[in-house]
Amino acid sequence: MTVVRNLPEQLILAHAPWVFGGTLIVFIIGFSAAGLALIFAGEPSGLVALALGAGLPGAIFSLAIQRDQVIFDAISDTLTLQRQTLWRYRRHVFALSDARFAELQEIAETARPVVSVNGDLYPLVEAYLSGNKPRETVKLINDWLWTARHNRRHA
């Protein structure tokens, strides 16, 4: 996840698969142009190119591309998990004091950060990612939560 804001009173993290989404858009535009060119040239195969070449990536884009955002707010004592796709927006708000820790959920060589709220684990992103980013995110969250609790006790 990308750090949007990291202040003692607020931590905001976001994840959006820009490269994957951009690649799908290039495919949609390319196959749409090719399919339309074939259709205007009188070739019925242009419909197949348009339907499969643009329709399939378009369907994947509308279902799979989503933006995730997590807001840890010490001032309002809230933890907000937001997920937005082309068709749906979901938002869950918890008391920050109920957030215990972040940890990794791992499958094979991939992982995703999750946060424990009242004993339940909530994934911060749906996809499992490779590389060190999930581990760095978990460390950042746990460090921020520790600092927020420490500051609250000494305020």
Side-chain angles (χ1 to χ4, degrees):
M1 297 190 84
T2 302
V3 177
V4 176
R5 180 177 296 148
N6 186 359
L7 301 172
E9 60 274 356
Q10 191 177 64
L11 174 64
I12 301 176
L13 304 170
H15 172 74
W18 296 111
V19 173
F20 183 56
T23 302
L24 286 173
I25 289 172
V26 168
F27 274 99
I28 292 167
I29 292 170
F31 280 103
S32 294
L36 289 173
L38 287 171
I39 290 170
F40 289 131
E43 290 290 328
S45 63
L47 289 173
V48 174
L50 189 61
L52 292 179
L56 188 59
I60 293 170
F61 184 88
S62 69
L63 296 173
I65 301 299
Q66 61 187 12
R67 180 177 175 270
D68 297 299
Q69 187 177 49
V70 184
I71 304 169
F72 296 86
D73 194 328
I75 294 173
S76 64
D77 188 42
T78 58
L79 164 59
T80 306
L81 306 176
Q82 300 176 133
R83 181 163 289 138
Q84 182 176 5
T85 66
L86 193 59
W87 307 110
R88 188 165 69 173
Y89 173 77
R90 289 181 285 174
R91 183 174 190 236
H92 301 285
V93 180
F94 305 96
L96 182 61
S97 54
D98 292 339
R100 303 293 177 233
F101 57 86
E103 68 179 36
L104 280 180
Q105 278 186 341
E106 296 179 275
I107 294 180
E109 299 294 319
T110 61
R112 69 179 178 182
V114 297
V115 66
S116 172
V117 179
N118 288 329
D120 294 323
L121 296 176
Y122 293 90
L124 304 185
V125 295
E126 285 191 3
Y128 286 81
L129 308 168
S130 60
N132 289 326
K133 209 66 157 148
R135 189 172 312 282
E136 293 167 3
T137 299
V138 166
K139 181 177 177 352
L140 176 66
I141 292 169
N142 285 330
D143 291 348
W144 189 91
L145 285 171
W146 184 88
T147 303
R149 286 188 192 107
H150 180 71
N151 291 343
R152 197 173 333 144
R153 277 189 233 126
H154 292 80

